Amino acid sequence: MCPQKHIPSAVKDPKLIETRRQQIVAAAVNLFVKKGFHGTTTREIARESGLSIGALYEYVESKEDVLYLVCDNIHTTLETRLRRTLTEAGNGRESLRSAIRQYLYVMDDMQDDVLLIYQESKSLPLEALRFVLGKEEQITGIFADILRRGIEDGSLRLDPGAVTLMAHNIIVLGQMWAFRRWALQRHYTLEEYIRVQTSLLLNELMSPDETDDTDTHDKKEQGEAVGGN
């Protein structure tokens, strides 16, 4: 796991610190999405989180600390949800298919949060920004690991030297759904976007005599879901 930046606190109880910081983060996300980082005051964050301004400063030292905690929380949520898919059995291709689906679902759920990171992280001090970018690299590394596993088990065809680039391509596909939603959602549902992008990716990662079975696989998943109900 990527280390977190230490944020000093006047409070000594770790559980209380975590609880209060979660309150602060939840309040700050709502305000930053509506008003932007620079348009939001610390006093507004305190009021929205149910704390006095004095109590707020017992858990953070600055508004930049709050922004860092917001970015770290968003990345941690994304990474946690993505790693859940890796516990499923299957070869590299199936793991990649599942991870892409889960990643795009998370991007859809957290559209405003993802946009917030890319709009406001430039306001972080350099040290805090390094930690945030480290988290981004760690999430990209999840896809790189899946791709390498697929190369090793023969279910994916990819030059090992292109693994990092392909992993970044997948990350950008998810970000595209967040950044370009105003245009994409006029033409595609989330399920259609997942199906088309997954098919395009897997067709690039298979030998010429293979064909992608994304449609069949998705219909099977949908049928199992119906049968389970």
Side-chain angles (χ1 to χ4, degrees):
M1 298 293 288
C2 189
Q4 292 180 309
K5 180 182 182 299
H6 175 66
I7 304 292
S9 172
V11 177
K12 302 305 179 186
D13 183 347
K15 289 185 178 179
L16 183 57
I17 293 173
E18 182 178 356
T19 299
R20 292 289 181 263
R21 284 182 174 172
Q22 284 297 322
Q23 288 177 232
I24 293 167
V25 164
V29 166
N30 290 334
L31 289 167
F32 291 164
V33 167
K34 292 176 185 175
K35 305 181 67 174
F37 173 72
H38 293 291
T40 301
T41 67
T42 344
R43 191 169 297 280
E44 287 173 323
I45 297 171
R47 184 168 58 248
E48 184 79 9
S49 59
L51 300 172
S52 68
I53 189 70
L56 179 78
Y57 280 118
E58 291 181 351
Y59 299 97
V60 295
E61 293 186 330
S62 66
K63 192 168 70 165
E64 285 73 20
D65 282 350
V66 176
L67 178 58
Y68 167 74
L69 291 172
V70 166
C71 292
D72 185 70
N73 182 73
I74 293 168
H75 276 138
T76 299
T77 301
L78 171 57
E79 183 180 0
T80 299
R81 290 180 61 176
L82 191 55
R83 286 194 183 279
R84 285 176 189 162
T85 66
L86 305 185
T87 60
E88 301 173 0
N91 59 24
R93 185 191 299 183
E94 290 306 310
S95 293
L96 182 62
R97 190 197 306 276
S98 296
I100 291 171
R101 171 171 287 275
Q102 181 63 21
Y103 174 56
L104 289 173
Y105 271 122
V106 175
M107 287 291 104
D108 186 62
D109 288 344
M110 302 180 69
Q111 290 179 28
D112 290 335
D113 307 64
V114 172
L115 191 58
L116 173 63
I117 287 182
Y118 287 93
Q119 286 178 331
E120 306 294 0
S121 59
K122 62 183 180 296
S123 300
L124 287 167
L126 185 57
E127 181 192 7
L129 181 59
R130 287 197 188 104
F131 280 93
V132 170
L133 295 178
K135 276 275 194 178
E136 188 87 9
E137 286 284 349
Q138 184 168 291
I139 292 167
T140 306
I142 294 174
F143 285 104
D145 289 343
I146 295 172
L147 290 166
R148 291 189 188 98
R149 187 172 60 165
I151 293 171
E152 289 173 3
D153 67 26
S155 61
L156 297 174
R157 303 287 188 271
L158 181 66
D159 183 338
V163 164
T164 298
L165 180 58
M166 181 59 77
H168 279 278
N169 282 345
I170 295 169
I171 292 295
V172 170
L173 289 180
Q175 293 169 347
M176 187 194 305
W177 184 252
F179 299 158
R180 303 284 297 177
R181 60 189 174 186
W182 58 271
L184 291 171
Q185 289 177 346
R186 294 203 302 263
H187 303 282
Y188 305 96
T189 64
L190 176 60
E191 282 298 325
E192 289 168 342
Y193 185 78
I194 292 172
R195 178 179 56 79
V196 173
Q197 292 289 26
T198 302
S199 181
L200 289 172
L201 275 168
L202 290 180
N203 282 332
E204 285 296 315
L205 295 171
M206 293 186 296
S207 59
D209 58 333
E210 292 179 298
T211 56
D212 174 46
D213 59 346
T214 296
D215 286 336
T216 302
H217 185 275
D218 287 349
K219 287 175 182 176
K220 179 183 177 184
E221 279 194 343
Q222 291 168 7
E224 288 174 350
V226 171
N229 294 334

